[in-house]
Amino acid sequence: MKKPVGAAEVVLAPGQVSFATGPTRLRTLLGSCVAITFWHPQRLIGGMCHFMLPRRLHSQQPLDGRYADEALELLLRHAHVNGTHARDYHVKLFGGGKMFPELQRHKPTQDVASLNIRAALDLAERYHLHLTAQDMGSTGYRTIMFDLWNGNVWVRHQPMGILQQDAYQKNQCAAGR
């Protein structure tokens, strides 16, 4: 988890997309939102998006990272601008925690977390992305740290009702880069 000297650190807010071509650590905090990480193992470049909703009904405005399909399109454009293809990236999905499970039991159609998870998985399939890991669902929030210099993604999941969880744990699937 040691950061190289001079590495940048970027914190993504909901709706943001970041792509970097140098040593960078990307961080975000997710509840019902989902993050998609993109990492190119040969070039050590990549990015992350933090989307809030699966899609918007009218998309005649500029692309907006708050929506899954548009956030992924922004990541794909960054990959293209950097002379790479989506198929060359290792992709990981995180988030989609139910933040109000008691309320959602009475109104399951308003389960934004599940809709976001489904959108992320559907997009990965539609674009034939190389999905190497995922940690989605359950309840509560996740803190994500993504190190572009080695492709590791560190996740701390705080389920609802759990007072404390172990410190950052390396995603077990990260070793399969």
Side-chain angles (χ1 to χ4, degrees), residues 69 72-73 76 86-87 122-130:
D69 52 347
L72 179 59
E73 179 63 30
L76 294 172
R87 67 178 177 269
D122 288 348
L123 287 167
E125 184 177 335
R126 182 181 322 147
Y127 287 94
H128 307 288
L129 301 177
H130 182 73

Side-chain angles (χ1 to χ4, degrees), residues 2-177:
K2 188 173 181 181
K3 190 165 76 167
V5 175
E9 188 150 336
V10 177
V11 178
L12 276 74
Q16 289 188 316
V17 176
S18 181
F19 195 95
T21 58
T24 304
R25 174 174 283 163
L26 302 172
R27 294 177 176 258
T28 199
L29 177 66
L30 304 165
S32 59
C33 298
V34 168
I36 302 173
T37 65
F38 254 50
W39 183 63
H40 194 288
Q42 288 77 38
R43 301 260 315 268
L44 305 182
I45 63 174
M48 179 165 62
C49 68
H50 176 151
F51 71 82
M52 302 162 60
L53 298 166
R55 68 194 58 77
R56 62 177 158 173
L57 297 178
H58 307 288
S59 59
Q60 295 180 356
Q61 287 103 16
L63 292 175
D64 188 331
R66 293 179 293 177
Y67 305 98
D69 52 347
E70 297 180 42
L72 179 59
E73 179 63 30
L74 289 166
L75 282 173
L76 294 172
R77 287 182 181 189
H78 283 293
H80 179 73
V81 164
N82 283 281
T84 59
H85 302 281
R87 67 178 177 269
D88 300 329
Y89 286 79
H90 291 194
V91 178
K92 299 176 183 178
L93 307 174
F94 303 95
K98 294 180 182 176
M99 299 307 294
F100 305 102
E102 290 301 314
L103 295 175
Q104 291 168 345
R105 188 178 327 145
H106 303 294
K107 296 182 181 182
T109 59
Q110 295 180 357
D111 181 3
V112 174
S114 294
L115 294 173
N116 283 339
I117 291 169
R118 183 79 259 145
L121 292 170
D122 288 348
L123 287 167
E125 184 177 335
R126 182 181 322 147
Y127 287 94
H128 307 288
L129 301 177
H130 182 73
L131 191 58
T132 59
Q134 60 179 303
D135 181 18
M136 297 190 293
S138 186
T139 63
Y141 64 90
R142 288 170 174 84
T143 304
I144 308 296
M145 283 191 339
F146 174 30
D147 296 336
L148 285 177
W149 56 87
N150 61 16
N152 287 340
V153 177
W154 301 79
V155 179
R156 180 174 182 233
H157 182 199
Q158 184 70 50
M160 301 297 281
I162 304 295
L163 295 176
Q164 191 168 350
Q165 180 116 353
D166 291 340
Y168 287 98
Q169 297 175 352
K170 187 176 181 181
N171 186 316
Q172 295 300 316
C173 297
R177 305 184 276 263

